[in-house]
Amino acid sequence: MNKKYRKTIIAGNWKMNLLPSDVKPYTDELRQLAGKVRHCEVVVCTPFVMLPQAVKAFRDSRISVGAQNVSDKDSGAFTGEVSASQLRDLGVKYVIVGHSERRAYYGETDEIVCAKVKAVLNAGLYPIICVGETSAQREQGVTDEVVSMQVKLALSGVPAEKVRHIVIAYEPIWAIGTGKTATPEDAADVCTKIRAIIRALYGARTARAVTIQYGGSMNPKNAYDLLAMHDIDGGLIGGASLKPADFAAIIDAANQ
Ligand code: PGA
């Protein structure tokens, strides 16, 4: 699916799964299966401790490596944190920011998400900013308001020339890890509205260049229909990215 003005990006989010010793077999198998990555960019987001190995294993391939989190600070006395410039130096390209699990379990507010987005952009990396509503919010009919607020707050103070480097992942929280997927129409409806917000903030040229992914129980069976929607430019995939064969099948769907 060749979307004229923007990249389709298929990103796997391993979350806190797999072991360092799994990296080589995984990357060998994925490199073989996803040999012909054509119309999309592929990213594998591993835990911090596996990043050096993953970067090495995907060198000279069309697969990039991403982190799942980053510090909002540039450097200094912040024990246990990892900075965006450290990730860049390692060869990491993307960073997931504001995943709903970080917002829910680690107190990540919209302000922290915004500071992390800026840290990632300042280091020359690409943030994948996650937004999405809970099932209660969807039932209350406030999905658009929630998502709009998250997008606007994540981007507040981000200059126009940097916005082309961001990726937004629309991930309805009720669809993450539950096996319940948004219908292609519902998912695309929110993605279209996210693009309209970017258009209102930064203009039409920038808005059409921004990649907007869908995430939430995407799998080899539903990927094609989701990715065929005009405003869905890829996927952020958790569970189905843990098996190279499933992840490669989703990459195939994006290649069509
Ligand atoms: P899932 O996770 O594909 O397992 O639903 C998606 C995500 O959390 O990014």
Side-chain angles (χ1 to χ4, degrees), residues 62-224:
R62 300 193 60 187
I63 299 170
S64 307
V65 174
Q68 299 171 14
N69 188 23
V70 68
S71 174
D72 57 334
K73 309 288 193 299
D74 290 336
S75 66
F78 302 102
T79 302
E81 292 291 294
V82 174
S83 74
S85 53
Q86 289 167 339
L87 294 173
R88 187 201 43 219
D89 193 60
L90 201 58
V92 167
K93 183 169 176 190
Y94 289 90
V95 184
I96 298 173
V97 177
H99 190 280
S100 65
E101 287 149 18
R102 296 218 53 87
R103 294 180 191 253
Y105 308 141
Y106 300 99
E108 241 171 63
T109 61
D110 287 309
E111 289 68 30
I112 296 173
V113 170
C114 179
K116 290 186 175 190
V117 168
K118 287 176 182 151
V120 170
L121 290 169
N122 286 340
L125 302 181
Y126 297 76
I128 300 175
I129 307 170
C130 301
V131 298
E133 80 288 1
T134 62
S135 62
Q137 289 163 338
R138 179 157 279 263
E139 277 158 29
Q140 289 295 314
V142 295
T143 297
D144 295 352
E145 286 89 336
V146 169
V147 169
S148 161
M149 190 179 77
Q150 289 173 335
V151 171
K152 286 181 184 167
L153 291 175
L155 295 180
S156 63
V158 175
E161 70 273 12
K162 298 252 168 131
V163 174
R164 283 163 182 265
H165 295 170
I166 64 153
V167 176
I168 295 189
Y170 166 54
E171 297 208 301
I173 294 167
W174 48 269
I176 295 178
T178 58
K180 285 188 217 156
T181 316
T183 63
E185 292 73 22
D186 284 348
D189 179 57
V190 179
C191 292
T192 301
K193 285 173 176 150
I194 292 172
R195 199 175 308 284
I197 294 164
I198 299 171
R199 188 180 308 118
L201 292 172
Y202 296 101
R205 283 172 72 97
T206 300
R208 74 180 181 194
V210 171
T211 296
I212 303 177
Q213 301 172 313
Y214 166 79
S217 300
M218 191 183 272
N219 61 42
K221 288 207 180 80
N222 59 32
Y224 181 85

Side-chain angles (χ1 to χ4, degrees), residues 20-69:
S21 55
D22 294 320
V23 173
K24 183 152 174 22
Y26 181 102
T27 52
D28 285 351
E29 193 177 340
L30 186 64
R31 280 189 72 146
Q32 214 170 22
L33 290 169
K36 292 187 214 80
V37 177
R38 287 192 303 272
H39 298 314
C40 65
E41 181 161 348
V42 177
V43 186
V44 174
C45 301
T46 78
F48 284 134
V49 288
M50 281 100 126
L51 288 173
Q53 265 176 288
V55 167
K56 196 166 160 230
F58 286 127
R59 197 164 284 150
D60 308 320
S61 79
R62 300 193 60 187
I63 299 170
S64 307
V65 174
Q68 299 171 14
N69 188 23

